Amino acid sequence: MAKKKLKQKEDEVEEVTSDEPAAKKVKWINRQRVLVFATRGINHRHRHLMEDLRKLMPHHRAECKMERSKNLQVVNEMCEMKHCNKAVLFEGRMKRDLYVWLANVPTGASAKFLVENIHTMEELKMTGNCLRGSRPLLSFDENFTTHAHYILLKELLTQIFSVPNHHPKSQPFIDHLYTFTILDNRIWFRNFQILTEDGALTEIGPRFVLNPVKIFGGSFGSDTLWDNPHYISPAKFRQSLKKAANKYM
């Protein structure tokens, strides 16, 4: 009897060890990893926005600040070392302007945005709350299907912000919603908590607006696929305001 029990235990142990690696391989099929980091020169509000996005993306990987003197092509090597196939790079200018790069590494495409109207979670202090690591729903405006560059940006945003199913650091349910809306040639981002099954929502944060600057065919450079004709740099905009305020011109 004792020998039979030992054999049964050995068979159970063999079954468990043989099933575990197979289950892990089957579960996490979508191997999206996003490298989220910044260059030197961003201020505290920009850094808090980056930390908020890291909290919302359990499939991210962090990296130290990059020197601004380095070529952006170095990011491709950094992603390869971190085993990431997407990158979100925050680039600060003059401690007041924030640009963000969204890239598919290493083949492309990549897009450069000017980030406007930034409101972090700490500033908003919304009543909504969601479990950290839960998977989101993504809602896109119908205007994303009107032009080719919006279709490309929609695919890029979907691959970066959607959490892979069965990711080890994610939760197995959905309790919040990201909305991407096109208004005034800009992409408006909002984050809502799903309260009830009938669709009641409450905003969590953060809030920001992405003003697209350029879309490139490669990762962090290469040929320009699209250039925004409505884009005005923040320095030129501030210069025009100063000229308008001078009544002796």
Side-chain angles (χ1 to χ4, degrees):
M1 292 292 290
K3 289 183 180 179
K4 286 183 180 179
K5 288 182 179 179
L6 286 172
K7 284 184 179 179
Q8 288 177 358
K9 287 183 179 179
E10 288 176 358
D11 294 339
E12 289 176 0
V13 170
E14 287 179 0
E15 287 178 359
V16 169
T17 53
S18 61
D19 289 343
E20 277 185 352
K24 286 181 181 178
K25 287 180 181 178
V26 170
K27 275 187 176 180
W28 189 24
I29 298 173
N30 182 13
R31 299 272 174 169
Q32 295 286 347
R33 299 183 185 91
V34 184
L35 185 66
V36 182
F37 68 114
T39 61
R40 293 193 180 277
I42 63 172
N43 59 29
H44 64 284
R45 294 184 70 246
H46 301 161
R47 187 174 67 253
H48 289 169
L49 176 65
M50 181 179 67
E51 292 298 330
D52 289 345
L53 289 182
R54 284 178 176 176
K55 291 176 184 177
L56 296 175
M57 301 165 66
H59 59 298
H60 86 275
R61 290 195 174 178
E63 182 58 63
C64 299
K65 290 181 181 178
M66 189 182 75
E67 295 292 340
R68 287 188 295 177
S69 59
K70 291 184 179 180
N71 190 359
L72 290 179
Q73 295 298 325
V74 180
V75 181
N76 296 327
E77 299 176 4
M78 297 167 69
C79 291
E80 186 178 356
M81 292 172 62
K82 290 282 187 177
H83 303 286
C84 296
N85 50 10
K86 298 290 183 296
V88 178
L89 174 63
F90 290 88
E91 186 180 0
R93 303 277 178 85
M94 301 171 61
K95 293 286 186 178
R96 57 167 66 178
D97 303 326
L98 179 65
Y99 292 87
V100 64
W101 288 79
L102 306 180
N104 180 27
V105 181
T107 56
S110 60
K112 183 180 180 182
F113 299 90
L114 172 66
V115 187
E116 302 172 340
N117 299 341
I118 298 172
H119 297 281
T120 61
M121 288 184 181
E122 292 182 358
E123 292 175 349
L124 292 173
K125 294 182 181 179
M126 296 289 186
T127 57
N129 191 12
C130 66
L131 187 63
R132 185 168 181 173
S134 59
R135 301 178 64 221
L137 289 173
L138 270 66
S139 174
F140 288 91
D141 187 9
E142 59 182 4
N143 293 325
F144 275 95
T145 59
T146 55
H147 300 285
H149 62 277
Y150 283 141
I151 296 173
L152 178 59
L153 291 178
K154 177 183 177 180
E155 184 64 29
L156 191 61
L157 292 168
T158 302
Q159 294 183 16
I160 289 177
F161 284 96
S162 60
V163 179
N165 194 14
H166 301 297
H167 189 277
K169 294 183 180 179
S170 67
Q171 301 296 333
F173 54 85
I174 295 170
D175 65 348
H176 61 290
L177 168 73
Y178 299 157
T179 61
F180 298 92
T181 308
I182 295 175
L183 182 65
D184 194 19
N185 299 312
R186 292 167 174 80
I187 300 174
W188 298 63
F189 174 86
R190 295 290 184 271
N191 180 21
F192 296 94
Q193 180 194 0
I194 302 174
L195 296 176
T196 56
E197 294 182 358
D198 59 352
L201 302 174
T202 181
E203 189 175 355
I204 304 173
R207 291 179 181 176
F208 56 89
V209 178
L210 298 175
N211 187 1
V213 180
K214 285 185 180 182
I215 300 176
F216 300 94
S219 177
F220 293 96
S222 186
D223 299 331
T224 302
L225 299 180
W226 177 77
D227 193 355
N228 189 0
H230 306 286
Y231 171 72
I232 300 173
S233 66
K236 287 185 178 179
F237 181 71
R238 287 191 291 266
Q239 187 179 8
S240 64
L241 290 179
K242 286 182 180 179
K243 286 183 178 180
N246 190 357
K247 61 182 179 180
Y248 296 110
M249 284 294 291

